[in-house]
């Protein structure tokens, strides 16, 4: 295992260039961990949504990509966190079609569908912390 | 990176050559909508073969672009969506509704010819 991946790769999100950088690094790490090309594309797409969310609502924040293990399963965890205004109504933000930015409103619900596990924490004024994990379909040998 | 737009007869062809930032996509939309008038184009083909990710922003922008081009009197065909990208879009619920798609550039051009999108003076 590459020690950098075990410790986590941090990508600062401060401009739309960083969205591309985060999803490219995420894809590379996913492939390095053993994910197939299709799963790597799902992960890269989820990272793109999460990074844009950070930029759009908080102006800046970070994405941290970490290799995770649970029993015999290995996966990739994507952490997105910011210190922005937070999400006052999480259930509503997770509804399809709900957007305060005037766009499609498929961002966060889409991420939940692309990934296997999805956790979101936020309180008004304290930013947002989202952890989304994707597991490999086969146990480690 | 700016997307080059090629003029071929009555058609404009924009070939995405690398990952696009949000600004690049907005720039492409504005350039295409403007160039439809400048070159009096009848059809626009956007080739996404080399695009790494189609997320909700890119999908929304391409949909807007196709609708704006239609309002300017031309048709858009989006080509080259790769299998993995299509899979991710379906998972997310992104449909590109109301936008014509074709397998690749060749099929995109064939679509215009079959649909009878004529060249100027033709």
């Amino acid at each position: 295992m590459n020690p950098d991946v075990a410790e986590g790769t941090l990508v600062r999100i401060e401009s739309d260039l960083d969205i591309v950088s985060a999803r490219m690094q995420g894809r590379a790490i996913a492939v390095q961990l053993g994910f197939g090309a299709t799963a790597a594309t799902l992960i890269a797409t989820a990272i793109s949504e999460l990074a844009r969310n950070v930029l759009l609502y908080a102006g800046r924040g970070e994405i941290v990509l970490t290799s995770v293990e649970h029993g015999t399963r290995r996966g990739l965890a994507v952490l997105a966190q910011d210190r922005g205004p937070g999400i006052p109504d999480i259930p509503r933000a997770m509804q399809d079609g709900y957007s305060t930015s005037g766009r499609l409103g498929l961002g966060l619900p889409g991420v939940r569908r692309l990934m296997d596990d999805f956790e979101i924490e936020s309180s008004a004024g304290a930013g947002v912390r989202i952890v989304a994990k994707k597991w490999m379909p086969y146990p480690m040998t | 990176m700016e997307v080059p737009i090629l003029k071929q007869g009555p058609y404009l062809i924009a070939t995405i050559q690398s990952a696009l930032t949000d600004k690049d996509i907005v720039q492409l939309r504005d350039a295409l909508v403007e160039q439809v008038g400048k070159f009096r184009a009848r059809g626009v083909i956007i080739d996404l073969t080399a695009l790494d990710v189609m997320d909700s922003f890119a999908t929304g922008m391409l949909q807007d672009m196709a609708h704006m081009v239609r309002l300017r009197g031309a048709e858009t065909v989006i080509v080259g969506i790769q299998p993995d990208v299509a899979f991710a879009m379906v998972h997310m619920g992104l449909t590109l509704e109301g936008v014509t798609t074709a397998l690749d550039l060749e099929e995109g051009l064939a679509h215009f010819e079959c649909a009878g999108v004529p060249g100027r003076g033709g």
Side-chain angles (χ1 to χ4, degrees), chain B residues 82-115:
Chain B
Q82 296 301 296
D84 291 343
V85 172
F87 187 72
M89 288 176 71
V90 169
H91 265 247
M92 282 204 70
L94 301 171
T95 56
L96 271 179
E97 210 175 313
V99 179
T100 305
T101 54
L103 182 66
D104 53 20
L105 193 55
E106 194 184 332
E107 293 293 329
L109 285 165
H111 169 84
F112 282 143
E113 273 145 32
C114 292

Side-chain angles (χ1 to χ4, degrees), chain A residues 53-115:
Chain A
N53 231 54
V54 165
L55 193 64
L56 204 58
Y57 294 104
R60 63 176 59 224
E62 59 197 33
I63 297 280
V64 183
L65 305 161
T66 315
S67 147
V68 285
E69 285 176 14
H70 182 77
T72 58
R73 298 180 84 196
R74 181 182 288 167
L76 176 64
V78 180
L79 162 70
Q81 58 185 2
D82 65 62
R83 294 176 191 282
I87 301 173
D89 187 347
I90 290 176
R92 205 165 167 207
M94 294 307 299
Q95 278 171 23
D96 277 336
Y98 177 75
S99 172
T100 56
S101 65
R103 296 306 313 171
L104 291 174
L106 285 171
L108 290 185
V111 171
R112 185 159 63 180
R113 286 194 288 268
L114 291 168
M115 304 293 276

Side-chain angles (χ1 to χ4, degrees), chain B:
Chain B
M1 183 186 289
E2 209 170 308
V3 178
I5 300 173
L6 193 83
K7 186 182 178 301
Q8 185 169 330
Y11 312 126
L12 296 175
I13 301 171
T15 305
I16 284 50
Q17 289 169 328
S18 62
L20 295 182
T21 66
D22 295 355
K23 280 193 197 81
D24 295 334
I25 298 175
V26 172
Q27 208 165 50
L28 173 64
R29 181 197 66 189
D30 295 347
L32 275 174
V33 171
E34 194 248 314
Q35 290 192 22
V36 162
K38 186 173 168 192
F39 295 111
R40 309 189 76 75
R42 290 294 183 86
V44 171
I45 295 178
I46 302 167
D47 187 352
L48 303 183
T49 306
L51 190 66
D52 62 332
V53 157
M54 268 283 268
D55 58 16
S56 61
F57 182 85
T59 304
M61 278 295 147
L62 286 171
Q63 208 161 6
D64 288 357
M65 192 184 309
H67 294 161
M68 287 162 78
V69 165
R70 181 169 300 145
L71 289 171
R72 301 271 283 151
E75 291 299 317
T76 300
V77 179
I78 289 181
V79 306
I81 294 178
Q82 296 301 296
D84 291 343
V85 172
F87 187 72
M89 288 176 71
V90 169
H91 265 247
M92 282 204 70
L94 301 171
T95 56
L96 271 179
E97 210 175 313
V99 179
T100 305
T101 54
L103 182 66
D104 53 20
L105 193 55
E106 194 184 332
E107 293 293 329
L109 285 165
H111 169 84
F112 282 143
E113 273 145 32
C114 292
V117 174
R120 296 284 167 182

